[in-house]
Amino acid sequence: MITNSSSAIIRQTAIGAFIKSLGEGQATVDYSPFISVFKTATKQADFGWFGAIDYPAEWGGGRAGSDMKAYTDTLTPKVYGRTYDIDADLFADDQTGTAAERAKGVAYMCREYTNVLASEFFEAGTAGTIDTAYDGQFFYDTDHDESGTNQDNDLTGTAATGTDPTSDEFETGVGDALEAAAAFKDDKGHPIGGRAGAVIEVPPRLIKVASIVLGSRMAKSPVAAGEGGAADQSGVTGVFRNQYSWFVNYHATNTDRFKIHWPASAQSVGPLVMNMREDWRIKTYDPTNDKDCDNRNLIQIATRARFVVGPGLWQKSIVYIFT
């Protein structure tokens, strides 16, 4: 039987465990390095950023002007949440820590959901079904017009066995993608993509070939002292000699492709941006003193957040599809 005193303890335990776990733990997939987060207090925000900054010029006796483009994308936060119903009798004598463990699980799923949304955006990037890039093209497209050129971050390659590449075909694809990204230009014609720090994303179906190519041929992990780059502490992913790494996206639905992402930096946003109006929060309801409790025999743990994930710089991501 739930009493007022036990109810208060359960509330405090669940809320404390949720808040602590929300900022800790390891997600299945972590896209946070590629998402630039901006906090707002409005129903929607016109997310804007300036275009590229030109190089200085030799002084010629007067100010050398340089126009700076401005880009805008309207990002409207959506409300996300779920209410979890748990039999009140299970919490009546919570000596085994059930409340805390359930709250930790709820926090994990909230944290993981951001990664799900990021994965879904990248998965839909070749069709623009979620949103387009700032230039109006699909996020992954063959004709991004910057500096008067058509730049291509939507590459394809032939696999002899259909969509299952051999090790040689996969290695060629990685090389082609890195080479293409290294040539990306901003609106001033300056190089912007293809630098160290890139992360290669593969679906579960390509784990075997990726392990062969990225884990042995092109990489060694961890990086030895003095060789440059940061050693890989996870023991799971490989670290390239030229400081690239890779991971498996277990949320991926397209199994015939890999992607390469570059993280956000002090100089530019990442391939994704987030308008965060309200971060995840938790509230508990129980039969002892909550008129809002929907069922008198349930403990309810409710979560809520308001945010949206949208496109950042397309130059910070490239896809390679095997056909």
Side-chain angles (χ1 to χ4, degrees), residues 27-83:
T28 302
V29 179
D30 184 13
Y31 282 103
S32 60
F34 315 115
I35 304 176
S36 297
V37 180
F38 300 88
K39 295 185 177 182
T40 62
T42 58
K43 291 183 178 180
Q44 69 179 34
D46 289 333
F47 170 74
W49 64 89
F50 289 113
I53 299 174
D54 213 344
Y55 292 132
E58 182 179 358
W59 182 257
R63 292 190 178 93
S66 178
D67 294 334
M68 190 180 296
K69 293 183 179 180
Y71 305 99
T72 302
D73 188 21
T74 300
L75 297 178
T76 304
K78 302 176 182 179
V79 177
Y80 298 101
R82 185 175 292 277
T83 299

Side-chain angles (χ1 to χ4, degrees), residues 152-306:
D152 184 0
N153 70 336
D154 182 8
L155 306 184
T156 58
T158 301
T161 56
T163 57
D164 292 320
T166 63
S167 297
D168 288 341
E169 291 165 344
F170 186 86
E171 185 172 357
T172 297
V174 171
D176 288 348
L178 291 173
E179 186 176 87
F184 288 159
K185 299 293 193 298
D186 59 26
D187 58 59
K188 297 297 184 185
H190 307 320
I192 190 173
R195 295 178 177 146
V199 181
I200 300 173
E201 171 196 324
V202 300
R205 184 177 179 181
L206 297 182
I207 289 178
K208 182 177 181 180
V209 67
S211 298
I212 294 172
V213 175
L214 305 178
S216 59
R217 291 190 185 184
M218 302 178 70
K220 59 180 179 180
S221 176
V223 174
E227 291 189 2
D232 175 19
Q233 303 298 324
S234 69
V236 178
T237 60
V239 176
F240 282 90
R241 291 186 176 90
N242 57 357
Q243 300 178 39
Y244 293 98
S245 59
W246 67 284
F247 73 98
V248 180
N249 177 13
Y250 294 98
H251 300 300
T253 55
N254 296 313
T255 61
D256 58 351
R257 65 199 62 186
F258 67 84
K259 308 177 189 74
I260 307 180
H261 311 298
W262 281 262
S265 66
Q267 291 75 31
S268 62
V269 298
L272 295 177
V273 294
M274 176 189 290
N275 179 354
M276 172 64 77
R277 185 179 178 189
E278 297 176 12
D279 205 347
W280 286 106
R281 57 182 176 174
I282 184 175
K283 190 170 184 180
T284 61
Y285 303 97
D286 68 71
T288 63
N289 52 19
D290 275 317
K291 61 181 178 60
D292 294 325
C293 189
D294 296 332
N295 189 310
R296 309 307 291 178
N297 297 314
L298 293 176
I299 290 287
Q300 296 181 314
I301 299 178
T303 59
R304 173 188 167 97
R306 185 178 299 184

Side-chain angles (χ1 to χ4, degrees), residues 125-128 132-133 135-145 150-155 184 314 317-319:
T126 57
T132 56
D135 58 2
Q137 301 297 111
F138 294 157
F139 186 80
Y140 294 121
D141 215 330
T142 59
D143 55 353
H144 290 286
D145 186 11
N150 288 329
Q151 300 188 79
D152 184 0
N153 70 336
D154 182 8
L155 306 184
F184 288 159
W314 62 262
S317 187
I318 191 168
V319 64

Side-chain angles (χ1 to χ4, degrees), residues 89-141:
D89 290 338
L90 297 177
F91 279 119
D93 188 10
D94 188 35
Q95 298 182 21
T96 59
T98 305
E101 289 305 311
R102 290 299 85 195
K104 289 179 182 178
V106 171
Y108 171 86
M109 296 305 290
C110 291
R111 185 174 65 246
E112 185 77 356
Y113 191 56
T114 301
N115 297 312
V116 171
L117 294 176
S119 176
E120 289 177 348
F121 183 90
F122 285 133
E123 292 285 282
T126 57
T129 53
I130 295 179
D131 201 350
T132 56
Y134 67 81
D135 58 2
Q137 301 297 111
F138 294 157
F139 186 80
Y140 294 121
D141 215 330

